[in-house]
């Protein structure tokens, strides 16, 4: 009975975030497919679907869509954790359409901004011409956007601690590393912060203090 109850809760949780887990399923399929490619073919395959300068110049729609269906590094299981902790709660709270708006906006705009930074660096001579072909795939910009919008799911004063935490998570790499990916992640986080209008009408914010009080009682 105990195991059956746990399983029922998991099933309800997954059903409450269909977009999240369909996306995860697609990522599993593409990850398995990429792992069965030869190294040379794999690189060509990924470069053709990368949101680097060349990919965005030749076929921006394909690059933006395809890159969101591939995992940088090819590790799927960590994505299950991240999607369940961030994407699923956001989708259950906002609804699939609004959640998808946040994901798409963060992924597209952060990709364009980060590659614009690369282009400027190339023009200024701070980056070689080969940077235009740098591999840039993955779902991390969408994740950063969702991490940002979740700030409005948390009630004050807990919200402020969350803001500080995520700013450190995404801001420290930007200051230390200063790569175009770090720029993209930070921009995506700010886009998530800017998505407050999407959260209107989605109920009261979650108060962790009430949860702690209930457990003590």
């Amino acid at each position: 009975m105990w195991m059956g109850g746990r399983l029922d809760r998991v099933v309800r949780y997954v059903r409450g975030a269909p977009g999240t887990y369909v996306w995860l399923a697609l990522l599993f399929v593409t990850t398995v497919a990429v792992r069965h490619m030869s190294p040379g073919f794999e690189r060509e395959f990924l470069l053709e679907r990368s949101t680097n300068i060349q990919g965005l110049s030749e076929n921006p729609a394909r690059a933006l869509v395809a890159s969101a269906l591939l995992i940088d590094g090819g590790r799927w299981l960590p994505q299950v954790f991240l999607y369940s902790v961030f994407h699923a709660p956001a989708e259950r709270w906002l609804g699939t359409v609004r959640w998808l708006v946040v994901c798409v906006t963060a992924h597209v705009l952060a990709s364009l901004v980060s590659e614009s930074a690369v282009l400027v660096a190339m023009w200024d001579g701070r980056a070689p011409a080969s940077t235009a072909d740098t591999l840039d795939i993955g779902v991390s910009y969408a994740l950063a956007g969702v991490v940002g919008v979740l700030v409005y799911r948390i009630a004050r004063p807990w919200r402020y601690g969350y803001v500080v935490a995520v700013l450190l998570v995404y801001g420290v790499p930007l200051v230390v590393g200063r790569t175009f990916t770090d720029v993209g992640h930070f921009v995506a986080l700010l886009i998530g912060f800017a998505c407050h209008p999407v959260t209107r009408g989605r109920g009261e914010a979650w108060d962790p203090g009430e949860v702690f009080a209930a457990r003590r009682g």
Side-chain angles (χ1 to χ4, degrees):
M1 292 292 293
W2 179 78
M3 287 297 293
R6 290 286 296 270
L7 181 60
D8 287 341
R9 286 195 292 272
V10 170
V11 170
R12 287 197 299 270
Y13 190 79
V14 171
R15 286 180 175 175
T20 295
Y21 292 100
V22 167
W23 194 357
L24 266 176
L26 292 173
L27 289 174
F28 177 78
V29 172
T30 59
T31 300
V32 171
V34 169
R35 285 182 179 176
H36 284 80
M37 297 176 183
S38 65
F41 182 79
E42 175 185 340
R43 179 164 179 75
E44 290 299 322
F45 177 85
L46 295 178
L47 281 175
E48 289 179 358
R49 290 154 181 82
S50 175
T51 50
N52 55 27
I53 293 175
Q54 182 173 339
L56 291 174
S57 300
E58 295 178 353
N59 194 330
R62 184 183 69 174
L64 289 166
V65 173
S67 65
L69 298 176
L70 297 163
I71 300 174
D72 186 14
R75 298 177 62 191
W76 183 74
L77 283 178
Q79 298 301 323
V80 176
F81 173 78
L82 293 172
Y83 272 58
S84 298
V85 171
F86 295 105
H87 279 294
E91 184 180 2
R92 290 169 63 87
W93 167 49
L94 295 173
T96 300
V97 174
R98 297 189 188 199
W99 162 78
L100 193 58
V101 167
V102 175
C103 291
V104 172
T105 302
H107 175 67
V108 172
L109 293 185
S111 296
L112 295 178
V113 170
S114 63
E115 291 304 322
S116 296
V118 171
L119 190 59
V120 170
M122 290 171 57
W123 285 342
D124 291 345
R126 291 180 287 113
S130 59
T131 310
D133 294 328
T134 301
L135 184 63
D136 184 18
I137 59 170
V139 296
S140 57
Y141 292 165
L143 175 65
V146 167
V147 168
V149 78
L150 279 173
V151 66
Y152 305 109
R153 182 69 175 119
I154 304 171
R156 300 180 179 89
W158 308 94
R159 177 180 299 177
Y160 305 122
Y162 179 85
V163 170
V164 171
V166 297
L167 283 174
L168 286 174
V169 168
Y170 288 102
V172 170
L174 176 63
V175 174
V176 175
R178 297 182 181 180
T179 68
F180 74 90
T181 304
D182 296 327
V183 172
H185 286 150
F186 196 78
V187 168
L189 178 69
L190 297 182
I191 290 170
F193 288 162
C195 285
H196 180 257
V198 177
T199 71
R200 292 173 182 167
R202 305 313 295 175
E204 295 183 0
W206 173 62
D207 188 348
E210 294 181 357
V211 176
F212 297 148
R215 289 183 176 178
R216 288 175 182 173

